[in-house]
């Protein structure tokens, strides 16, 4: 392996998962300390923004990438709306209305929408792993609602968690769609340069 572990996608995924695991707990403490769900959502977004800006400014290659992508700011704004605002705002509000495990489950169970959208619009194949993942999500939702009396929640909390999950699913889908379009444009640029 030529890449060290901290430069690989797996490291980024593990770091994101570890940080994501702290969101519900920190939100719980923030809400119990008297902050409103709007304030908690704002601070989560603002701190994430500061971390991302610091990372991009610290690495020269990321600064160049940031400058090269500045003409796509409208697309990034749409992605930020779904992936940051919808996720953080609705999820944080849902934490106020329902239990943390229920909100977390419903938010990320809505990722099944990503599987459906990707297979319908991006022509991704539904392999056995994707199908099994979707079936397990549905089993989890069934179990959740079968034992609904044992969880503390409200219908507004469930709806807010599903809205957060829908925003997250649309963020993932639009990111994949944008990445495929970028790959296609790069391939076309390479063909044009070869033909000249």
């Amino acid at each position: 392996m030529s890449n060290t572990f901290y430069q690989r996608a797996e490291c980024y995924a593990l770091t994101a998962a570890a940080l994501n695991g702290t969101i519900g707990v920190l939100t719980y403490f923030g809400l119990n300390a008297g902050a409103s769900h709007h304030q908690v959502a704002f601070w989560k977004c603002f701190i994430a923004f500061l971390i991302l800006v610091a990372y991009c400014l610290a690495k020269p290659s990321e600064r160049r990438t940031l400058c090269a992508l500045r003409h796509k700011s409208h697309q990034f704004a749409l992605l930020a709306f779904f992936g940051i605002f919808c996720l953080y705002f609705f999820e944080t509000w849902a934490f106020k209305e329902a239990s943390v495990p229920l909100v977390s489950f419903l938010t990320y169970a809505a990722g099944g929408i990503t599987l459906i959208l990707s297979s319908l619009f991006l022509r991704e194949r539904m392999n056995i792993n994707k199908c099994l993942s979707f079936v397990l999500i549905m089993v989890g939702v069934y179990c959740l609602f079968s034992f609904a009396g044992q969880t503390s929640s409200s219908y507004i909390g469930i709806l807010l968690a599903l809205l957060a999950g829908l925003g997250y699913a649309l963020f993932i889908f639009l990111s994949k769609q944008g990445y495929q379009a970028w790959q296609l444009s790069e391939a076309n640029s390479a063909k044009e340069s070869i033909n000249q």
Side-chain angles (χ1 to χ4, degrees), residues 44-55:
K44 287 195 301 190
C45 290
F46 187 67
I47 291 168
F49 171 75
L50 290 178
I51 291 170
L52 189 59
V53 166
Y55 176 76

Side-chain angles (χ1 to χ4, degrees), residues 138-158:
M138 292 300 109
V139 168
V141 170
Y142 171 76
C143 291
L144 180 71
F145 287 108
S146 294
F147 304 105
Q150 297 175 6
T151 60
S152 63
S153 65
S154 67
Y155 288 115
I156 188 79
I158 292 170

Side-chain angles (χ1 to χ4, degrees), residues 29-140:
F29 287 130
L31 292 173
N32 282 343
S36 73
H37 58 275
H38 295 76
Q39 291 169 324
V40 173
F42 169 78
W43 284 109
K44 287 195 301 190
C45 290
F46 187 67
I47 291 168
F49 171 75
L50 290 178
I51 291 170
L52 189 59
V53 166
Y55 176 76
C56 288
L57 292 177
K59 292 188 74 174
S61 63
E62 297 303 325
R63 278 196 306 265
R64 285 189 296 276
T65 302
L66 191 63
C67 289
L69 293 174
R70 69 182 177 275
H71 66 283
K72 295 189 179 280
S73 60
H74 291 87
Q75 291 148 330
F76 286 118
L78 182 65
L79 288 173
F81 173 76
F82 286 121
I84 297 173
F85 174 76
C86 285
L87 177 61
Y88 280 155
F89 181 77
F90 292 122
E91 182 184 44
T92 304
W93 190 357
F95 283 140
K96 184 176 181 245
E97 302 291 333
S99 66
V100 170
L102 176 64
V103 170
S104 297
F105 176 78
L106 290 176
T107 298
Y108 297 105
I113 295 169
T114 304
L115 294 174
I116 296 167
L117 290 175
S118 296
S119 66
L120 290 176
F121 296 106
L122 301 179
R123 295 182 182 94
E124 287 187 4
R125 293 185 48 158
M126 289 290 282
N127 61 27
I128 190 70
N129 290 337
K130 290 180 182 180
C131 291
L132 183 61
S133 298
F134 189 71
V135 167
L136 290 174
I137 288 169
M138 292 300 109
V139 168

